[in-house]
Amino acid sequence: MCILFYVNAGATALQLINFYMHFRFITLVARQEWASIFRSRVPLALFAVLFVVVLLATFTGWQYVSKFNHQQKAAHQEVHDQWMSQPNRHPHRVAHYGYMVFREKSPLSFFDFGLDSYVGNSVFLEAHRQNTVNMSEAGFSNGMLRFGELSMAMVLQLLVPLFIIFIGFQTVASLKQNGVLKLLLCQSASYLDILLGKITGLTAVVWALFLPLLLVSLLAGNLLITGEMSAEALLRVLLLTILYAIYFLIITMLVVIVSAISKSAKNALMVLVLVWMLFFIVIPKSAQTLGSSLHRAPDKIAFEQAIEEDVSKQGDSHNPDDPHFASLKANTLKKYNVDSISQLPVNYAALVMQEGENISSGIFNKHFDRLVGIYKAQNAVSSILGFADPYLAIRNISMNLSGTDFDSFTAFQKQTEKYRFEKTKKLNEIHLTQIKYQNDSKQKVSAKNWQQQPDFSFQPLAIRENLAAGTLSMAALILWVFASLGVLIFVSSKRAYQI
């Protein structure tokens, strides 16, 4: 037993020594990579350019969002003042007077514009009609918007990978060309140790240069826009920083893998540039086209016509012979045990208008949910392709956490429709109980009736809802890490890639 114990202890000690030797060599290679990058002026010059671009994007984004939200608040206050200053009048006139609601941009939208420039920012609410959200920046811009807007997220997603390519394309390939790789392999170092050391060194450089900049910009921008730092906002900032750290790690691993399998640094650079074009231009555009082809959405005219057709089939309040409203009339007379609508203790016209509102709102919600389902199916194509392109994965989850994704927009649309319906319903209740059926249109009620109604306040999606929407994208990023590690181990095991 004692002999067996000493044998096991000796084996464990050898394993620990072997692990320490591998770890020490990886650390040595990483330090050498770190030192060689900072000795060269080219990487520092490239970083200086990116640093200026990031600061410019952050400042312009913060300035734009702050100014935009200030304008939205001012417009909302003006509309609210006009609503409150209405004189005594008929409640149905108030319902058709309408009310405009505005959507402010999320605090982190200065970092990632997402879909904000392509979706509307305000909607006019009125009785009997569901209006779509209007006033998007894209509608007032020139054709340059199709090339994208300069945001900090765009710099980190598109330009930082180029920076990683240019500082890392020759990291392994150059060792093959000058014969250093053979010398390193002769010193009892494995090819995997060298590759892991290179990845560690490059990743440390990228994280040291960009993650502090990202973290400080997110914290400062959010604080300047909102004037506070809530626990949820802080969690969003930390998650964004972690996810971008993972994204940079993935890009670094891919760069080292390509450099490791390339015969020369020139070949590695050519392949990496082609991969960059594939990941950041070809696949994203293809994803958008594929999603639209697989799940076709109706245009605005077809959408509104379908709603009108369904409304006319279910019940037309303007048609006295409509079966649905004829049944409503008969049931109402029976309920109050009277012979004519003039004998009713409530205003029958208000009942008809509210029933029409119930029908049109229900049908609109059904069609809108169906339309949202189509768009979500289109977006799902992009999320699935995130398993083939890490850029799509980080782009989607970045929009989710910044509150500039599709779900945030549809939440605004649904909340405004709910507010419109409740506002109209309350006005119809005033009409029902305070306006007599005889000489209906000539009567008025006190303005206090609508002045006491609550104002609209948009409730952004909670972070758990954003994370649920970005589950596929986060899973894609994690899979990319493990898949890259697997490819790295495979490449290191092939002698053909060591020559």
Side-chain angles (χ1 to χ4, degrees):
M1 291 292 292
C2 291
I3 295 174
L4 183 61
F5 172 78
Y6 285 118
V7 169
N8 290 336
T12 303
L14 287 174
Q15 289 177 351
L16 289 174
I17 293 172
N18 187 48
F19 173 79
Y20 172 74
M21 293 300 294
H22 284 290
F23 177 77
R24 185 172 178 275
F25 195 85
I26 291 171
T27 305
L28 185 64
V29 174
R31 288 177 178 175
Q32 185 275 333
E33 188 69 23
W34 171 285
S36 65
I37 290 174
F38 284 107
R39 273 199 307 267
S40 176
R41 294 182 179 179
V42 175
L44 295 179
L46 289 175
F47 172 72
V49 173
L50 286 180
F51 181 77
V52 172
V53 173
V54 167
L55 289 182
L56 177 64
T58 303
F59 175 74
T60 56
W62 165 77
Q63 188 179 48
Y64 170 70
V65 172
S66 299
K67 182 180 179 181
F68 180 89
N69 286 350
H70 176 74
Q71 291 174 340
Q72 294 291 83
K73 288 177 181 177
H76 169 263
Q77 188 60 49
E78 182 179 353
V79 168
H80 185 67
D81 291 344
Q82 291 174 352
W83 174 268
M84 297 295 285
S85 63
Q86 290 182 87
N88 297 341
R89 57 173 52 173
H90 194 286
H92 195 61
R93 287 193 62 190
V94 177
H96 279 290
Y97 180 81
Y99 194 79
M100 182 81 77
V101 295
F102 300 88
R103 180 177 69 95
E104 294 182 23
K105 294 184 181 295
S106 68
L108 290 177
S109 62
F110 81 94
F111 165 73
D112 191 336
F113 297 156
L115 300 179
D116 267 4
S117 298
Y118 303 93
V119 297
N121 303 300
S122 61
V123 58
F124 181 66
L125 309 179
E126 57 181 323
H128 316 314
R129 184 174 179 81
Q130 293 80 18
N131 297 310
T132 54
V133 183
N134 297 310
M135 304 297 178
S136 67
E137 286 95 327
F140 297 96
S141 67
N142 56 30
M144 289 302 293
L145 188 61
R146 73 185 67 175
F147 297 104
E149 298 170 287
L150 181 64
S151 68
M152 188 176 183
M154 189 199 78
V155 175
L156 298 179
Q157 293 168 13
L158 297 179
L159 301 185
V160 171
L162 275 178
F163 174 80
I164 297 173
I165 288 174
F166 286 124
I167 68 171
F169 74 93
Q170 60 181 356
T171 184
V172 181
S174 62
L175 298 181
K176 296 179 183 180
Q177 288 181 283
N178 56 28
V180 174
L181 181 60
K182 293 181 180 179
L183 295 175
L184 291 174
L185 293 174
C186 291
Q187 297 176 6
S188 68
S190 69
Y191 196 27
L192 181 60
D193 290 341
I194 296 172
L195 297 183
L196 289 175
K198 292 290 186 179
I199 289 172
T200 304
L202 280 172
T203 304
V205 170
V206 176
W207 284 1
L209 293 177
F210 293 102
L211 291 188
L213 181 61
L214 170 61
L215 184 60
V216 171
S217 298
L218 290 175
L219 291 173
N222 187 90
L223 189 61
L224 288 171
I225 290 174
T226 63
E228 61 180 3
M229 180 60 66
S230 65
E232 181 167 303
L234 182 59
L235 182 57
R236 288 178 184 272
V237 168
L238 293 177
L239 284 173
L240 280 170
T241 304
I242 292 170
L243 289 168
Y244 273 94
I246 295 173
Y247 176 64
F248 295 154
L249 172 62
I250 293 168
I251 300 300
T252 303
M253 294 174 77
L254 293 177
V255 169
V256 172
I257 288 171
V258 172
S259 183
I261 64 177
S262 299
K263 294 291 185 181
S264 65
K266 179 181 178 182
N267 291 342
L269 180 59
M270 290 177 60
V271 171
L272 286 168
V273 170
L274 290 174
V275 170
W276 185 90
M277 294 174 64
L278 178 69
F279 279 175
F280 301 103
I281 300 176
V282 178
I283 294 180
K285 292 294 182 183
S286 301
Q288 182 180 0
T289 304
L290 181 61
S292 300
S293 301
L294 292 176
H295 309 280
R296 294 191 176 277
D299 57 32
K300 184 177 180 180
I301 295 177
F303 176 74
E304 293 179 347
Q305 285 179 343
I307 293 175
E308 290 177 3
E309 289 176 4
D310 283 358
V311 169
S312 63
K313 289 177 183 177
Q314 186 162 341
D316 184 359
S317 61
H318 298 288
N319 181 6
D321 299 323
D322 184 88
H324 180 85
F325 284 92
S327 175
L328 174 68
K329 179 180 177 181
N331 291 334
T332 303
L333 293 176
K334 183 179 179 181
K335 176 182 177 181
Y336 290 97
N337 195 25
V338 295
D339 297 326
S340 65
I341 56 177
S342 60
Q343 298 174 343
L344 289 170
V346 293
N347 194 314
Y348 179 70
L351 279 176
V352 171
M353 283 186 281
Q354 184 55 43
E355 181 63 17
E357 196 66 48
N358 293 338
I359 292 172
S360 62
S361 182
I363 291 175
F364 172 83
N365 289 335
K366 182 183 71 174
H367 281 268
F368 184 73
D369 288 342
R370 188 182 303 161
L371 183 65
V372 169
I374 294 174
Y375 286 134
K376 284 188 174 181
Q378 292 180 356
N379 293 336
V381 174
S382 173
S383 298
I384 293 171
L385 285 177
F387 290 94
D389 184 352
Y391 163 66
L392 288 178
I394 191 64
R395 186 186 69 176
N396 292 336
I397 191 62
S398 180
M399 288 193 295
N400 291 140
L401 290 173
S402 299
T404 57
D405 59 333
F406 178 72
D407 289 343
S408 297
F409 167 70
T410 55
F412 174 72
Q413 178 79 68
K414 289 181 178 181
Q415 288 180 32
T416 56
E417 170 54 21
K418 182 180 179 181
Y419 178 76
R420 184 203 69 82
F421 179 79
E422 294 297 331
K423 200 176 190 72
T424 304
K425 183 179 179 180
K426 289 178 180 178
L427 290 171
N428 283 333
E429 289 174 355
I430 296 170
H431 189 178
L432 181 73
T433 57
Q434 299 186 35
I435 298 292
K436 295 181 179 180
Y437 183 74
Q438 293 80 10
N439 298 320
D440 184 310
S441 60
K442 296 181 180 179
Q443 300 173 56
K444 298 179 181 181
V445 296
S446 171
K448 292 181 180 180
N449 286 283
W450 48 84
Q451 290 174 351
Q452 295 172 351
Q453 291 184 353
D455 198 6
F456 175 77
S457 178
F458 173 58
Q459 300 299 318
L461 294 178
I463 190 170
R464 64 178 181 276
E465 296 175 277
N466 293 131
L467 291 175
T471 301
L472 273 180
S473 298
M474 289 189 291
L477 288 175
I478 294 171
L479 184 63
W480 267 100
V481 173
F482 286 103
S484 300
L485 186 59
V487 173
L488 196 73
I489 294 172
F490 172 78
V491 168
S492 66
S493 66
K494 298 297 180 180
R495 183 164 178 77
Y497 298 132
Q498 302 176 19
I499 301 174

